Amino acid sequence: MFDQDPRLGDLSFCVDLDPRGDWKALRDALAGPAMAMKQSVSPGAPFPLGLRVSASALGSLEAPEQRAELNALIGPGIFRALTANGLSAPSWAHRPQQASHLPPDWLSDDRLDYTCALADLMADLVTPGGTVSLSTAPGALREIGLGREGEIAARLIRAAAHCVKIRRRTGVTVAIAIEPEPYWLLETTAETAAFLTHHLFTRRAEAMLAQLTGLSGCGAAMALRRHLGLCYDTCHAALMFEDASASIAALRAGNVPVHKLQLSAALRIASVDGPSRAAAAAFAETHAPLQVVCRRDGAAPQLHPDLATALARGDQADGEEWRIRFQAPLAMSGLGPFETTSAFVEDVLALHRTRAIAPHLEIETALAEIAPSLIGDTTIEEVATREIGWVIERLSDDAGLSLVELMDALNRGAPLHHAARQ
């Protein structure tokens, strides 16, 4: 039995299969690979989805025909929209000059408008009384956001006010979950928790939300925690060499709400040497710039914006441990000189089994970016099914149940300790 809550939360898979990010890409992903995943692991029940909807796709979905098509694809008994990745929107023209590949941050009204529109879409896709989570950017790039935390918090409070209005209108609760990322204002779990505590869960924030919504002070305090919180991304936390047990314990001690637990692994080189540097250089040639975090003998981690920068140090890097921001499959082995941080994910899932960390769990493997050399002839649908099985195996003690039975038990809230056959 679990110490407290036997419910392990809802498990979804992020449908992020096309770098174009437009409506056609989302439609094709739902009708193709996502449908194949559903038939494999959830044929008799709606398959819980994590969606990635860009600003471009949101614009297309304002048209009644496209919206009707989306509703039909996700319709009753097919899929269940559970969470959304609200970090990126590649169609935006305005981007920080220092990082042209990044979307608008929380210093821009573009980010606020996009988040509110995404909240409206997700609220329309779930039944009244349901809950959806939206992961979002951690403020702004560090060099831009430092000293401007108040501006960032003000826009997040306005987003929370929009979520309060959605809840009044539809009965749906939308939870915005800030996801720490390297090079952003909030790089770590601890920094994000501190930002929430000192800028969003305060009397000043309560007063602002009360003014925007008409809530009482007590009601505003509850609403801030209901609609704002943290997305614990296991790839990013491992990338920053966090300790899983310590970071989760600190969140619980600080009463920081975790609205979403994102499950993914970074690539890892345990000890850099000549052959592994050569392999990393070859890997860099076929992928977008990948951030690297290096550490030697337990010293403070050192961040590098991409593999090329890390590799330029040559043999000076030998002996370091490298963690590379590439969301590798959790269930994959045989990566040559590369390992993954899947052991970190296992630690987090073990903590979650004991006491639920978040109501929503989302597997986020970069299926669109996986090189054929890593998966061979395996289809992305097969990789996704293995990923789901890998996670559920670590949430269950019952090896006698099929993946379909375990998925069904998890998503109807049954304890996985021999409960699905009862």
Side-chain angles (χ1 to χ4, degrees):
M1 295 296 293
F2 295 95
D3 291 343
Q4 294 193 24
D5 187 357
R7 181 174 172 82
L8 290 181
D10 288 306
L11 176 66
S12 66
F13 195 97
C14 181
V15 180
D16 182 17
L17 301 173
D18 193 312
R20 291 173 297 168
D22 59 15
W23 158 239
K24 183 179 184 300
L26 176 59
R27 182 189 63 198
D28 292 348
L30 289 171
M35 185 61 72
M37 293 177 212
K38 173 195 160 43
Q39 294 303 326
S40 175
V41 302
S42 188
F47 178 60
L49 284 179
L51 298 177
R52 188 162 194 160
V53 187
S54 69
S56 170
L58 274 179
S60 298
L61 288 167
E62 292 178 0
E65 317 86 67
Q66 277 82 0
R67 194 59 168 265
E69 191 173 1
L70 176 64
N71 291 339
L73 283 169
I74 295 185
I78 306 174
F79 295 115
R80 180 161 61 95
L82 182 68
T83 185
N85 182 323
L87 275 79
S88 63
S91 65
W92 276 323
H94 168 68
R95 295 174 175 86
Q97 194 172 25
Q98 291 87 336
S100 61
H101 64 287
L102 295 173
D105 54 40
W106 280 101
L107 291 170
S108 164
D109 283 340
D110 286 348
R111 167 64 63 180
L112 173 63
D113 294 343
Y114 165 74
T115 303
C116 291
L118 182 59
D120 288 333
L121 173 70
M122 295 299 292
D124 287 346
L125 294 176
V126 302
T127 56
T131 299
V132 293
S133 54
L134 312 180
S135 47
T136 194
L141 288 178
R142 184 168 285 255
E143 63 267 30
I144 299 172
L146 280 172
R148 303 177 70 183
E149 291 86 353
E151 294 177 59
I152 292 166
R155 284 190 176 84
L156 282 162
I157 293 166
R158 288 164 61 189
H162 188 80
C163 294
V164 169
K165 294 169 184 176
I166 288 174
R167 193 166 189 259
R168 286 172 175 167
R169 185 180 74 249
T170 68
V172 173
T173 298
V174 179
I176 298 172
I178 300 171
E179 182 178 328
E181 291 201 46
Y183 284 99
W184 286 70
L185 176 65
L186 309 174
E187 291 184 320
T188 66
T189 301
E191 290 176 347
T192 309
F195 175 80
L196 286 160
T197 300
H198 298 305
H199 294 280
L200 293 172
F201 302 151
T202 65
R203 292 294 177 84
R204 183 175 180 178
E206 291 167 16
M208 181 176 175
L209 186 64
Q211 185 176 22
L212 291 168
T213 61
L215 289 168
S216 67
C218 181
M222 294 175 62
L224 284 168
R225 291 178 178 275
R226 179 186 302 121
H227 298 295
L228 297 174
L230 186 138
C231 172
Y232 192 97
D233 185 299
T234 57
C235 175
H236 297 164
L239 197 67
M240 298 300 292
F241 287 87
E242 294 189 25
D243 178 272
S245 181
S247 62
I248 296 298
L251 291 172
R252 288 171 173 163
N255 194 28
V256 176
V258 182
H259 294 310
K260 182 174 179 178
L261 178 56
Q262 208 152 267
L263 305 172
S264 56
L267 282 180
R268 174 176 180 264
I269 301 175
S271 182
V272 172
D273 57 15
S276 61
R277 281 189 280 111
F283 191 81
E285 291 177 1
T286 58
H287 291 81
L290 300 168
Q291 296 163 349
V292 183
V293 184
C294 309
R295 188 172 72 168
R296 186 188 298 274
D297 301 327
Q302 301 296 312
L303 277 66
H304 298 282
D306 50 50
L307 265 171
T309 304
L311 287 165
R313 297 160 57 233
D315 59 10
Q316 293 179 6
D318 287 357
E320 293 178 341
E321 179 180 352
W322 282 13
R323 297 188 179 184
I324 302 167
R325 188 180 173 175
F326 177 84
Q327 291 166 325
L330 298 166
M332 183 166 287
S333 59
L335 300 175
F338 299 114
E339 302 173 16
T340 75
T341 59
S342 59
F344 184 93
V345 186
E346 291 186 286
D347 290 343
V348 171
L349 289 174
L351 293 166
H352 184 76
R353 275 171 52 110
T354 301
R355 177 183 170 190
I357 295 169
H360 291 167
L361 291 76
E362 181 188 41
I363 301 170
E364 189 186 44
T365 302
L367 295 181
E369 300 172 6
I370 295 176
S373 60
L374 294 184
I375 64 173
D377 295 330
T378 308
T379 67
I380 56 176
E381 295 91 340
E382 291 169 332
V383 173
T385 299
R386 284 208 305 252
E387 296 288 275
I388 294 167
W390 187 93
V391 171
I392 292 183
E393 284 176 8
R394 283 149 183 81
L395 293 175
S396 171
D397 286 337
D398 199 331
L401 297 183
S402 69
L403 178 56
V404 172
E405 290 172 311
L406 290 168
M407 186 75 174
D408 176 66
L410 181 65
N411 287 315
R412 59 184 166 83
L416 289 184
H417 295 268
H418 309 286
R421 291 192 187 277
Q422 295 177 2

